[in-house]
């Protein structure tokens, strides 16, 4: 009997540990290979570096009597890195909102410098905010772990993995000329599988949530494609198209697909939330009452899904509206005609992104519920529950 139990547990142990380790090794080899790429030099930065420094003295300030700043500051900066490390150099800081900084003594800054022999041309690029970013990111991860406990730790692992995938998978593949749309689909599948596997393990709940998320993201992409065909809006209508065209000419990057790939990535989190919540709810309902028919289980899942749609349908629309709020304020202030506003590329793109992502959220509900019913109502084989393709859902 012990041998029988051992043979039954073997496949589950491989599914739980062996298969993930094998996939991780293959994935790491793939990531290493695609990052072996030489970038085309678009701008000559020979001799130019960005170094850290600290302001030691303000020689000439640009603060006006009304509190505004005009012109440049002249400051002394002690260099902390680079070939001038340890030296104090005189440099300037502009009053612009995009570059420069309102320097004060003791402020840590980033200095853009060009060194040629004993000559140094330098200016303050920005206030150093590197550690502020690190600290706030660490505080968020800490809060996630403290509030979420074990699940929070798993969720933070999924979040970090998703961020690394964007940097080391999405960007290299797009730079190599792969279709941004299909690369984003691949990215969504990979990050969804890893994130939900960390949270739920190899269970039916994880499988349902994963398939529902992928379906919702693809639906969002289909909706965006249909909107693009009907409205004439494409990835070539973005505001920074002139700079992107350079990448198209030099590296063959598919600029037109970047808009739609960005939409898929931005909708991933919201769709994943809906799919996992529905899968978890149906899992609990089925566990409490396994005798429910497929019809009753579907109705229960749809009731949960409809309640979620009441709030989640606004998620992406409000997100994209918030990201374009500066443009909306300018349009309002200039009192632009309605026909000009509604037919502008920027407004059309914002509407397309919000509505297409929301299509993915809404339509992922019935898809996820249907998948859950299929998975949970599948009859167990005669040998017993331990021989199911996926183990029953348990508290993680």
């Amino acid at each position: 009997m012990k041998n029988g139990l051992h043979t039954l547990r073997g496949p589950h142990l491989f599914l739980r540990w062996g298969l993930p380790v094998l996939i991780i090794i293959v994935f790491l080899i793939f990531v290493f290979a695609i990052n072996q790429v030489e970038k085309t030099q678009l701008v000559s930065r020979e001799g130019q570096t960005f170094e850290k420094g600290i302001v030691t003295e303000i020689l000439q300030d640009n603060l006006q009597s009304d509190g505004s700043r005009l012109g440049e500051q002249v400051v002394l900066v002690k260099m902390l890195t680079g070939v001038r490390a340890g030296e104090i150099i005189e440099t300037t800081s502009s009053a612009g909102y995009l570059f420069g900084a309102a320097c004060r003594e003791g402020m840590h800054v980033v200095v853009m410098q060009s060194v040629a022999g004993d000559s140094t041309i330098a200016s303050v690029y920005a206030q150093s905010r590197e550690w502020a970013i690190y600290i706030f990111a660490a505080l968020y991860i800490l809060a996630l772990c403290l509030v979420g406990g074990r699940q929070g730790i798993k969720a933070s692992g999924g979040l970090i993995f998703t961020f690394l995938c964007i940097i080391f998978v999405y960007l290299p593949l797009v730079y190599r000329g792969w279709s941004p749309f299909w690369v984003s689909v691949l990215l969504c599948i990979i990050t969804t599988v890893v994130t939900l596997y960390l949270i739920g393990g190899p269970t039916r709940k994880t499988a349902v949530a994963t398939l529902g998320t992928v379906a919702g993201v693809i639906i969002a992409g289909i909706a965006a494609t249909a909107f693009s065909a009907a409205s004439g809006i494409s990835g070539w209508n973005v505001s920074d198209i002139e700079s992107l065209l350079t990448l198209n000419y030099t590296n063959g990057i598919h600029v037109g697909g970047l808009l739609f790939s960005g939409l898929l990535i931005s909708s991933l989190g919201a769709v994943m939330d809906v799919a996992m919540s529905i899968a978890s709810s149906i899992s609990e309902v089925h566990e409490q009452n396994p005798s429910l028919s497929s019809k009753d289980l579907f109705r229960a899942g749809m009731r949960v899904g409809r309640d979620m749609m009441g709030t989640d349908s606004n998620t992406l629309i409000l997100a994209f509206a918030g990201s374009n709020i500066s443009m909306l304020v300018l349009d309002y202030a200039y009192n632009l005609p309605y026909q000009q506003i509604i037919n502008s590329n920027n407004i059309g793109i914002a509407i397309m992104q919000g509505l297409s992502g929301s299509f993915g959220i809404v339509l992922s509900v019935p898809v996820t519920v249907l998948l859950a019913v299929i998975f949970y109502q599948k009859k167990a084989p005669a040998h017993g529950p331990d021989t199911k393709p996926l183990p029953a859902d348990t508290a993680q």
Side-chain angles (χ1 to χ4, degrees), residues 204 286 294 372-381 388-389:
R204 288 174 293 183
H286 178 72
S294 298
V373 171
I374 294 173
F375 272 71
Y376 282 100
Q377 293 291 50
K378 188 179 295 184
K379 298 297 183 182
K388 292 180 183 178

Side-chain angles (χ1 to χ4, degrees), residues 162-163 165-167 169-171 174 180-189 191-192 217-218 220-221 257-272 316 320 357:
T162 300
F163 175 77
C165 277
I166 293 175
I167 302 298
V169 177
Y170 177 82
L171 294 181
V174 170
F181 182 87
W182 291 111
V183 171
S184 63
V185 171
L186 173 65
L187 178 73
C188 291
I189 293 174
T191 56
T192 298
V217 170
I218 292 177
L258 292 176
L259 175 65
F260 302 102
S261 70
L263 186 148
L264 296 186
I265 294 173
S266 62
S267 64
L268 174 62
V271 175
M272 188 186 301
L316 292 181
F320 285 113

Side-chain angles (χ1 to χ4, degrees), residues 138-187:
L139 288 175
Y140 170 72
I141 296 296
L142 179 62
L144 185 61
C145 294
L146 290 177
V147 175
R150 186 179 177 186
Q151 292 298 82
I153 296 174
K154 295 177 181 180
S156 63
L159 176 63
I160 294 172
F161 177 81
T162 300
F163 175 77
L164 293 177
C165 277
I166 293 175
I167 302 298
F168 295 108
V169 177
Y170 177 82
L171 294 181
L173 289 179
V174 170
Y175 189 83
R176 286 172 173 270
W178 288 39
S179 166
F181 182 87
W182 291 111
V183 171
S184 63
V185 171
L186 173 65
L187 178 73

Side-chain angles (χ1 to χ4, degrees), residues 38-52:
E38 292 186 10
K39 295 181 181 178
T40 303
Q41 186 175 8
L42 302 176
V43 179
S44 176
R45 298 188 181 277
E46 186 175 354
Q48 184 185 78
T49 60
F50 291 82
E51 307 295 347
K52 299 177 182 179

Side-chain angles (χ1 to χ4, degrees), residues 147-396:
V147 175
R150 186 179 177 186
Q151 292 298 82
I153 296 174
K154 295 177 181 180
S156 63
L159 176 63
I160 294 172
F161 177 81
T162 300
F163 175 77
L164 293 177
C165 277
I166 293 175
I167 302 298
F168 295 108
V169 177
Y170 177 82
L171 294 181
L173 289 179
V174 170
Y175 189 83
R176 286 172 173 270
W178 288 39
S179 166
F181 182 87
W182 291 111
V183 171
S184 63
V185 171
L186 173 65
L187 178 73
C188 291
I189 293 174
I190 293 174
T191 56
T192 298
V193 170
V194 171
T195 301
L196 296 183
Y197 183 89
L198 286 174
I199 294 174
T203 61
R204 288 174 293 183
K205 177 174 66 178
T206 300
V208 169
T210 300
L211 294 175
T213 300
V214 173
V217 170
I218 292 177
I219 289 171
I222 293 173
T225 303
F227 188 97
S228 172
S231 64
I233 290 178
S234 70
W236 301 94
N237 299 122
V238 294
S239 57
D240 51 354
I241 186 61
E242 297 297 334
S243 300
L244 290 172
L245 282 175
T246 303
L247 300 179
N248 179 254
Y249 295 145
T250 57
N251 296 89
I253 294 178
H254 298 275
V255 173
L258 292 176
L259 175 65
F260 302 102
S261 70
L263 186 148
L264 296 186
I265 294 173
S266 62
S267 64
L268 174 62
V271 175
M272 188 186 301
D273 174 53
V274 170
M276 190 58 175
S277 298
I278 292 175
S280 182
S281 299
I282 295 181
S283 170
E284 186 65 23
V285 170
H286 178 72
E287 183 177 338
Q288 296 299 322
N289 190 359
S291 62
L292 277 177
S293 66
S294 298
K295 187 176 182 179
D296 290 335
L297 194 60
F298 184 85
R299 286 177 175 173
M302 285 303 298
R303 281 195 293 270
V304 173
R306 290 190 182 105
D307 288 340
M308 296 186 65
M309 280 190 288
T311 54
D312 287 331
S313 60
N314 294 328
T315 300
L316 292 181
I317 293 178
L318 294 177
F320 285 113
S323 64
N324 290 278
I325 200 68
S326 299
M327 175 186 64
L328 296 175
V329 170
L330 285 173
D331 290 345
Y332 181 83
Y334 281 101
N335 198 27
L336 299 181
Y338 171 77
Q339 288 299 323
Q340 179 180 357
I341 294 175
I342 196 64
N343 290 292
S344 67
N345 288 326
N346 289 337
I347 292 294
I349 289 174
I351 293 174
M352 179 192 73
Q353 290 174 324
L355 290 179
S356 299
S358 296
F359 263 115
I361 291 176
V362 172
L363 296 182
S364 68
V365 171
V367 173
T368 306
V369 173
L370 181 60
L371 288 170
V373 171
I374 294 173
F375 272 71
Y376 282 100
Q377 293 291 50
K378 188 179 295 184
K379 298 297 183 182
H383 296 86
D386 287 336
T387 58
K388 292 180 183 178
L390 290 173
D393 305 326
T394 57
Q396 300 298 312

